[in-house]
Coordinates of all heavy atoms in Angstrom, one line a residue:
M1 N 43.3 -62.0 -79.5 CA 42.4 -61.1 -80.1 C 41.0 -61.2 -79.6 O 40.4 -60.2 -79.2 CB 42.4 -61.3 -81.7 CG 41.7 -60.1 -82.4 SD 42.1 -60.1 -84.1 CE 40.9 -59.0 -84.7
I2 N 40.5 -62.5 -79.5 CA 39.2 -62.7 -78.9 C 39.2 -62.3 -77.4 O 38.3 -61.6 -76.9 CB 38.8 -64.2 -79.0 CG1 38.5 -64.5 -80.5 CG2 37.6 -64.5 -78.2 CD1 38.4 -65.9 -80.8
K3 N 40.3 -62.6 -76.7 CA 40.4 -62.1 -75.3 C 40.3 -60.6 -75.2 O 39.7 -60.1 -74.2 CB 41.8 -62.6 -74.8 CG 41.7 -63.9 -74.0 CD 43.1 -64.1 -73.3 CE 43.0 -65.5 -72.6 NZ 44.4 -65.9 -72.2
N4 N 40.9 -59.9 -76.2 CA 40.8 -58.5 -76.1 C 39.4 -58.0 -76.2 O 39.0 -57.1 -75.6 CB 41.7 -57.9 -77.3 CG 42.1 -56.5 -77.1 OD1 41.9 -56.0 -76.0 ND2 42.7 -55.9 -78.1
V5 N 38.6 -58.6 -77.1 CA 37.2 -58.2 -77.3 C 36.4 -58.5 -76.0 O 35.6 -57.6 -75.6 CB 36.6 -59.1 -78.4 CG1 35.1 -58.8 -78.5 CG2 37.2 -58.7 -79.8
I6 N 36.7 -59.6 -75.3 CA 36.0 -59.9 -74.1 C 36.4 -58.9 -73.0 O 35.5 -58.4 -72.3 CB 36.3 -61.4 -73.6 CG1 35.7 -62.4 -74.6 CG2 35.8 -61.6 -72.2 CD1 36.2 -63.8 -74.4
A7 N 37.7 -58.6 -72.9 CA 38.1 -57.6 -72.0 C 37.4 -56.2 -72.2 O 37.0 -55.6 -71.2 CB 39.6 -57.4 -72.0
Q8 N 37.3 -55.9 -73.4 CA 36.6 -54.6 -73.7 C 35.1 -54.7 -73.4 O 34.6 -53.7 -72.8 CB 36.8 -54.3 -75.2 CG 38.2 -53.9 -75.6 CD 38.3 -52.9 -76.7 OE1 37.3 -52.4 -77.2 NE2 39.5 -52.5 -77.0
L9 N 34.5 -55.8 -73.6 CA 33.1 -56.0 -73.3 C 32.9 -55.9 -71.7 O 32.0 -55.3 -71.2 CB 32.6 -57.3 -73.8 CG 31.1 -57.6 -73.5 CD1 30.2 -56.7 -74.2 CD2 30.8 -59.1 -73.9
Q10 N 33.8 -56.5 -71.0 CA 33.8 -56.5 -69.6 C 34.0 -55.1 -69.0 O 33.3 -54.7 -68.1 CB 34.8 -57.5 -69.0 CG 34.4 -59.0 -69.3 CD 35.4 -59.9 -68.6 OE1 36.5 -59.6 -68.2 NE2 34.9 -61.2 -68.5
M11 N 34.9 -54.4 -69.6 CA 35.1 -53.0 -69.2 C 33.9 -52.2 -69.4 O 33.5 -51.3 -68.6 CB 36.3 -52.4 -69.9 CG 37.6 -52.7 -69.3 SD 39.0 -51.9 -70.1 CE 38.6 -50.2 -70.0
W12 N 33.2 -52.4 -70.5 CA 32.0 -51.7 -70.9 C 30.9 -52.0 -69.9 O 30.2 -51.1 -69.4 CB 31.6 -52.0 -72.3 CG 30.3 -51.3 -72.7 CD1 30.2 -50.0 -73.2 CD2 29.0 -51.8 -72.7 NE1 28.9 -49.7 -73.4 CE2 28.1 -50.8 -73.1 CE3 28.4 -53.0 -72.3 CZ2 26.8 -50.9 -73.2 CZ3 27.1 -53.2 -72.4 CH2 26.2 -52.2 -72.9
L13 N 30.8 -53.3 -69.6 CA 29.7 -53.7 -68.6 C 30.0 -53.1 -67.2 O 29.1 -52.6 -66.6 CB 29.7 -55.2 -68.5 CG 29.0 -56.0 -69.6 CD1 29.4 -57.5 -69.5 CD2 27.5 -55.8 -69.5
L14 N 31.3 -53.1 -66.8 CA 31.6 -52.5 -65.5 C 31.3 -51.0 -65.5 O 30.8 -50.4 -64.5 CB 33.1 -52.7 -65.2 CG 33.4 -54.1 -64.6 CD1 34.9 -54.2 -64.4 CD2 32.7 -54.4 -63.3
A15 N 31.6 -50.3 -66.6 CA 31.3 -48.9 -66.7 C 29.8 -48.6 -66.6 O 29.4 -47.5 -66.2 CB 31.9 -48.4 -68.1
Q16 N 29.0 -49.6 -67.0 CA 27.5 -49.5 -66.9 C 27.1 -49.9 -65.5 O 25.9 -49.9 -65.3 CB 26.8 -50.3 -67.9 CG 27.3 -50.2 -69.4 CD 26.9 -48.9 -70.0 OE1 25.8 -48.5 -69.9 NE2 27.9 -48.2 -70.5
G17 N 28.0 -50.3 -64.7 CA 27.6 -50.9 -63.4 C 27.0 -52.2 -63.4 O 26.2 -52.6 -62.6
R18 N 27.4 -53.0 -64.4 CA 26.8 -54.3 -64.6 C 27.8 -55.4 -64.4 O 29.0 -55.2 -64.7 CB 26.2 -54.5 -66.0 CG 24.9 -53.7 -66.1 CD 24.4 -53.7 -67.6 NE 23.1 -52.9 -67.6 CZ 21.9 -53.5 -67.4 NH1 21.8 -54.7 -67.2 NH2 20.8 -52.7 -67.5
C19 N 27.3 -56.6 -64.0 CA 28.1 -57.7 -63.7 C 28.7 -58.2 -65.1 O 28.0 -58.3 -66.1 CB 27.3 -58.8 -63.1 SG 28.2 -60.4 -62.8
V20 N 30.0 -58.6 -65.1 CA 30.6 -59.1 -66.3 C 30.2 -60.5 -66.6 O 30.4 -61.0 -67.7 CB 32.2 -59.0 -66.2 CG1 32.6 -57.5 -66.1 CG2 32.7 -59.8 -65.2
G21 N 29.6 -61.2 -65.6 CA 29.3 -62.6 -65.8 C 27.8 -62.7 -66.3 O 27.6 -63.4 -67.2
C22 N 26.9 -62.0 -65.7 CA 25.5 -62.2 -66.0 C 24.8 -61.0 -66.5 O 23.7 -61.1 -67.0 CB 24.8 -62.8 -64.8 SG 24.7 -61.7 -63.4
G23 N 25.5 -59.8 -66.4 CA 24.9 -58.6 -67.0 C 23.9 -57.9 -66.1 O 23.3 -56.9 -66.4
M24 N 23.7 -58.5 -64.9 CA 22.7 -57.8 -64.0 C 23.4 -56.6 -63.3 O 24.6 -56.5 -63.2 CB 22.4 -58.8 -62.8 CG 21.5 -59.9 -63.2 SD 19.8 -59.4 -63.4 CE 19.3 -59.0 -61.7
P25 N 22.5 -55.6 -63.0 CA 23.1 -54.4 -62.3 C 23.8 -54.9 -61.0 O 23.2 -55.6 -60.2 CB 21.9 -53.5 -62.0 CG 20.9 -54.0 -63.1 CD 21.1 -55.5 -63.3
I26 N 25.0 -54.4 -60.8 CA 25.8 -54.9 -59.6 C 25.1 -54.4 -58.3 O 25.1 -55.1 -57.3 CB 27.2 -54.4 -59.7 CG1 27.9 -55.1 -60.9 CG2 28.0 -54.7 -58.4 CD1 29.3 -54.5 -61.3
N27 N 24.5 -53.2 -58.4 CA 23.9 -52.7 -57.2 C 22.6 -53.5 -56.7 O 22.1 -53.1 -55.7 CB 23.6 -51.2 -57.3 CG 22.6 -50.9 -58.4 OD1 21.9 -51.8 -58.9 ND2 22.5 -49.6 -58.8
K28 N 22.3 -54.5 -57.4 CA 21.2 -55.4 -57.0 C 21.7 -56.6 -56.2 O 21.0 -57.4 -55.7 CB 20.3 -55.9 -58.2 CG 19.6 -54.7 -58.8 CD 18.4 -55.2 -59.6 CE 17.5 -54.0 -60.0 NZ 16.7 -54.3 -61.2
G29 N 23.1 -56.6 -56.1 CA 23.7 -57.7 -55.4 C 23.7 -57.5 -53.9 O 23.1 -56.5 -53.4
K30 N 24.2 -58.4 -53.1 CA 24.3 -58.4 -51.7 C 25.5 -57.5 -51.3 O 26.6 -57.8 -51.6 CB 24.4 -59.8 -51.1 CG 24.3 -59.9 -49.7 CD 24.2 -61.4 -49.3 CE 24.6 -61.7 -47.9 NZ 26.0 -61.6 -47.7
V31 N 25.2 -56.5 -50.5 CA 26.3 -55.6 -50.1 C 26.8 -56.0 -48.7 O 26.1 -56.3 -47.8 CB 25.7 -54.1 -50.1 CG1 26.8 -53.2 -49.6 CG2 25.2 -53.7 -51.4
S32 N 28.2 -55.9 -48.6 CA 28.8 -56.1 -47.3 C 30.0 -55.2 -47.2 O 30.6 -54.8 -48.2 CB 29.2 -57.6 -47.2 OG 30.0 -58.0 -48.2
K33 N 30.2 -54.8 -45.9 CA 31.3 -53.9 -45.7 C 32.6 -54.7 -45.2 O 32.5 -55.6 -44.4 CB 31.0 -52.9 -44.6 CG 30.4 -51.6 -45.2 CD 30.5 -50.5 -44.2 CE 30.6 -49.2 -44.9 NZ 30.7 -48.1 -43.9
K34 N 33.7 -54.3 -45.8 CA 35.0 -55.0 -45.4 C 36.0 -53.8 -45.2 O 36.3 -53.2 -46.1 CB 35.4 -56.0 -46.4 CG 36.7 -56.6 -46.2 CD 36.6 -57.8 -45.2 CE 37.9 -58.3 -44.8 NZ 38.6 -59.2 -45.8
N35 N 36.4 -53.6 -43.9 CA 37.3 -52.6 -43.6 C 36.8 -51.2 -44.2 O 35.7 -50.8 -43.8 CB 38.7 -52.9 -44.1 CG 39.2 -54.1 -43.5 OD1 38.9 -54.5 -42.4 ND2 40.1 -54.9 -44.2
T36 N 37.5 -50.6 -45.1 CA 37.1 -49.3 -45.6 C 36.3 -49.4 -46.9 O 35.9 -48.3 -47.4 CB 38.4 -48.4 -45.8 OG1 39.2 -49.1 -46.7 CG2 39.1 -48.2 -44.5
H37 N 36.2 -50.5 -47.4 CA 35.5 -50.6 -48.7 C 34.3 -51.5 -48.7 O 34.0 -52.2 -47.8 CB 36.5 -51.0 -49.8 CG 37.3 -52.2 -49.5 ND1 38.6 -52.2 -49.2 CD2 37.0 -53.5 -49.5 CE1 39.1 -53.4 -48.9 NE2 38.1 -54.2 -49.1
I38 N 33.5 -51.3 -49.7 CA 32.2 -52.0 -49.8 C 32.3 -53.1 -50.9 O 32.7 -52.8 -52.0 CB 31.1 -51.0 -50.2 CG1 31.0 -49.9 -49.1 CG2 29.8 -51.7 -50.4 CD1 30.2 -48.7 -49.5
L39 N 31.9 -54.3 -50.5 CA 31.9 -55.4 -51.4 C 30.5 -55.7 -51.8 O 29.6 -55.6 -51.0 CB 32.5 -56.6 -50.8 CG 34.0 -56.6 -50.4 CD1 34.4 -57.8 -49.7 CD2 34.9 -56.4 -51.6
T40 N 30.3 -56.0 -53.1 CA 28.9 -56.4 -53.5 C 29.1 -57.7 -54.2 O 29.9 -57.9 -55.1 CB 28.3 -55.4 -54.5 OG1 28.3 -54.1 -53.9 CG2 26.9 -55.8 -54.9
T41 N 28.3 -58.7 -53.7 CA 28.3 -60.0 -54.3 C 27.1 -60.2 -55.2 O 25.9 -60.1 -54.8 CB 28.2 -61.1 -53.2 OG1 29.3 -60.8 -52.2 CG2 28.4 -62.5 -53.7
C42 N 27.4 -60.4 -56.4 CA 26.3 -60.7 -57.4 C 25.7 -62.0 -57.2 O 26.3 -62.9 -56.6 CB 26.9 -60.6 -58.8 SG 25.7 -60.7 -60.1
K43 N 24.5 -62.2 -57.7 CA 23.8 -63.5 -57.5 C 24.5 -64.6 -58.2 O 24.3 -65.8 -57.9 CB 22.3 -63.4 -57.9 CG 22.2 -63.1 -59.4 CD 20.7 -63.2 -59.8 CE 20.6 -63.1 -61.3 NZ 19.4 -63.6 -61.9
C44 N 25.4 -64.3 -59.2 CA 26.1 -65.3 -59.9 C 27.4 -65.7 -59.1 O 28.2 -66.5 -59.6 CB 26.4 -65.0 -61.3 SG 27.6 -63.7 -61.5
G45 N 27.7 -65.0 -58.0 CA 28.8 -65.3 -57.2 C 30.1 -64.5 -57.4 O 31.0 -64.6 -56.7
R46 N 30.0 -63.6 -58.4 CA 31.2 -62.7 -58.6 C 31.1 -61.6 -57.6 O 30.0 -61.1 -57.3 CB 31.2 -62.1 -60.1 CG 31.6 -63.2 -61.1 CD 31.4 -62.6 -62.5 NE 32.0 -63.6 -63.5 CZ 31.4 -64.7 -63.9 NH1 30.2 -65.0 -63.4 NH2 31.9 -65.5 -64.7
I47 N 32.3 -61.2 -57.1 CA 32.4 -60.2 -56.1 C 33.0 -58.9 -56.6 O 34.1 -59.0 -57.3 CB 33.1 -60.7 -54.9 CG1 32.4 -61.9 -54.3 CG2 33.3 -59.6 -53.8 CD1 33.2 -62.7 -53.2
Y48 N 32.4 -57.8 -56.4 CA 32.9 -56.5 -56.9 C 33.2 -55.6 -55.7 O 32.6 -55.7 -54.6 CB 31.8 -55.9 -57.8 CG 31.6 -56.7 -59.0 CD1 30.6 -57.7 -59.0 CD2 32.3 -56.5 -60.1 CE1 30.4 -58.5 -60.1 CE2 32.1 -57.3 -61.2 CZ 31.2 -58.3 -61.2 OH 31.0 -59.0 -62.3
I49 N 34.1 -54.7 -55.9 CA 34.5 -53.7 -54.9 C 34.1 -52.3 -55.4 O 34.3 -52.0 -56.6 CB 36.0 -53.8 -54.6 CG1 36.3 -52.9 -53.5 CG2 36.8 -53.6 -55.8 CD1 37.7 -53.2 -52.9
Q50 N 33.5 -51.6 -54.5 CA 33.1 -50.2 -54.9 C 34.1 -49.3 -54.3 O 34.4 -49.3 -53.1 CB 31.7 -49.9 -54.3 CG 31.1 -48.7 -54.9 CD 29.6 -48.5 -54.4 OE1 29.1 -49.3 -53.7 NE2 29.0 -47.5 -54.9
K51 N 34.6 -48.4 -55.2 CA 35.7 -47.5 -54.8 C 35.1 -46.3 -54.1 O 34.3 -45.5 -54.8 CB 36.5 -47.1 -56.0 CG 37.2 -48.2 -56.7 CD 38.4 -48.6 -55.9 CE 39.2 -49.7 -56.5 NZ 40.4 -50.1 -55.7
D52 N 35.5 -46.1 -52.9 CA 35.0 -44.9 -52.1 C 33.5 -44.7 -52.3 O 32.7 -45.6 -52.2 CB 35.8 -43.7 -52.6 CG 37.3 -43.9 -52.3 OD1 37.7 -44.4 -51.3 OD2 38.1 -43.5 -53.2
K53 N 33.1 -43.4 -52.6 CA 31.7 -43.2 -52.8 C 31.3 -43.1 -54.2 O 30.1 -42.8 -54.5 CB 31.3 -41.8 -52.1 CG 31.5 -41.9 -50.6 CD 31.1 -40.5 -50.0 CE 31.3 -40.5 -48.5 NZ 32.8 -40.5 -48.2
S54 N 32.2 -43.5 -55.1 CA 31.8 -43.4 -56.5 C 30.9 -44.6 -56.8 O 30.8 -45.6 -56.1 CB 33.1 -43.5 -57.4 OG 33.6 -44.8 -57.4
S55 N 30.3 -44.6 -58.0 CA 29.5 -45.7 -58.4 C 30.2 -46.7 -59.3 O 29.6 -47.5 -59.9 CB 28.2 -45.2 -59.0 OG 28.6 -44.4 -60.1
F56 N 31.5 -46.5 -59.3 CA 32.3 -47.4 -60.2 C 32.7 -48.6 -59.5 O 33.3 -48.6 -58.4 CB 33.6 -46.6 -60.7 CG 34.3 -47.3 -61.8 CD1 33.8 -47.3 -63.1 CD2 35.5 -48.0 -61.5 CE1 34.5 -48.0 -64.1 CE2 36.2 -48.7 -62.5 CZ 35.7 -48.7 -63.8
Y57 N 32.5 -49.8 -60.2 CA 32.9 -51.1 -59.6 C 34.1 -51.7 -60.3 O 34.3 -51.5 -61.4 CB 31.7 -52.0 -59.7 CG 30.5 -51.7 -58.9 CD1 29.5 -50.9 -59.4 CD2 30.4 -52.1 -57.6 CE1 28.4 -50.6 -58.7 CE2 29.3 -51.8 -56.8 CZ 28.3 -51.0 -57.4 OH 27.2 -50.7 -56.6
E58 N 34.8 -52.5 -59.5 CA 35.8 -53.3 -60.1 C 35.7 -54.7 -59.5 O 35.1 -54.9 -58.5 CB 37.2 -52.8 -59.6 CG 37.7 -51.5 -60.2 CD 39.1 -51.1 -59.7 OE1 39.7 -51.9 -59.0 OE2 39.5 -50.0 -60.0
R59 N 36.2 -55.7 -60.3 CA 36.2 -57.0 -59.7 C 37.1 -57.0 -58.5 O 38.2 -56.5 -58.5 CB 36.8 -58.0 -60.7 CG 35.9 -58.2 -62.0 CD 34.7 -59.1 -61.6 NE 35.0 -60.4 -61.1 CZ 35.3 -61.4 -61.9 NH1 35.4 -61.3 -63.2 NH2 35.6 -62.6 -61.4
A60 N 36.7 -57.6 -57.4 CA 37.4 -57.6 -56.2 C 38.6 -58.7 -56.3 O 38.4 -59.7 -56.9 CB 36.6 -58.0 -55.0
K61 N 39.7 -58.3 -55.8 CA 40.8 -59.3 -55.8 C 40.7 -60.1 -54.6 O 40.0 -59.8 -53.6 CB 42.2 -58.5 -55.7 CG 42.4 -57.7 -57.0 CD 43.7 -56.9 -56.8 CE 44.0 -56.0 -58.0 NZ 43.0 -54.9 -58.1
I62 N 41.3 -61.3 -54.6 CA 41.2 -62.3 -53.5 C 41.6 -61.6 -52.2 O 40.9 -61.8 -51.2 CB 42.1 -63.5 -53.8 CG1 41.6 -64.2 -55.1 CG2 42.0 -64.5 -52.6 CD1 40.2 -64.8 -55.0
S63 N 42.6 -60.8 -52.2 CA 43.1 -60.2 -51.0 C 42.2 -59.2 -50.4 O 42.3 -58.7 -49.3 CB 44.5 -59.5 -51.3 OG 44.3 -58.5 -52.3
Q64 N 41.2 -58.8 -51.2 CA 40.3 -57.7 -50.8 C 39.0 -58.3 -50.2 O 38.1 -57.6 -49.7 CB 39.9 -56.8 -51.9 CG 41.1 -56.0 -52.4 CD 40.8 -55.2 -53.7 OE1 40.2 -55.7 -54.6 NE2 41.2 -53.9 -53.7
I65 N 38.8 -59.6 -50.3 CA 37.5 -60.2 -49.9 C 37.6 -60.7 -48.5 O 38.6 -61.3 -48.1 CB 37.2 -61.4 -50.8 CG1 37.0 -60.9 -52.3 CG2 35.9 -62.1 -50.3 CD1 36.9 -62.1 -53.3
Ligands
ZN1 ZN1 26.6 -61.6 -62.0

């Protein structure tokens, strides 16, 4: 049940374009290109992937880094 609350909070943060770890805007992180997608590394070390040209971020999977 607590896990569910955290998952919902993390989804909300991602929808706001914010890091699920530290709450900073993801677009303030370090941007790097990998193949066809854009990776953004937050200052706390979490890595996000930006889908196409949308501003929606997801946590990057190990295979995508
Ligand atoms: Zn962060």
Side-chain angles (χ1 to χ4, degrees):
M1 193 165 165
I2 290 167
K3 266 190 182 168
N4 203 9
V5 171
I6 292 169
Q8 292 213 358
L9 179 65
Q10 291 185 340
M11 274 181 62
W12 180 82
L13 282 165
L14 280 176
Q16 311 289 310
R18 288 173 178 270
C19 176
V20 299
C22 63
M24 285 287 290
I26 293 169
N27 61 16
K28 291 202 171 153
K30 189 169 157 285
V31 177
S32 54
K33 266 201 156 184
K34 176 79 188 283
N35 299 329
T36 56
H37 48 256
I38 297 164
L39 296 175
T40 304
T41 307
C42 183
K43 63 171 187 162
C44 70
R46 284 173 174 78
I47 299 171
Y48 296 90
I49 183 167
Q50 192 171 4
K51 295 287 182 182
D52 302 319
K53 292 182 185 70
S54 76
S55 57
F56 188 77
Y57 292 92
E58 284 180 9
R59 291 289 298 278
K61 295 177 182 68
I62 298 296
S63 61
Q64 293 172 316
I65 298 170

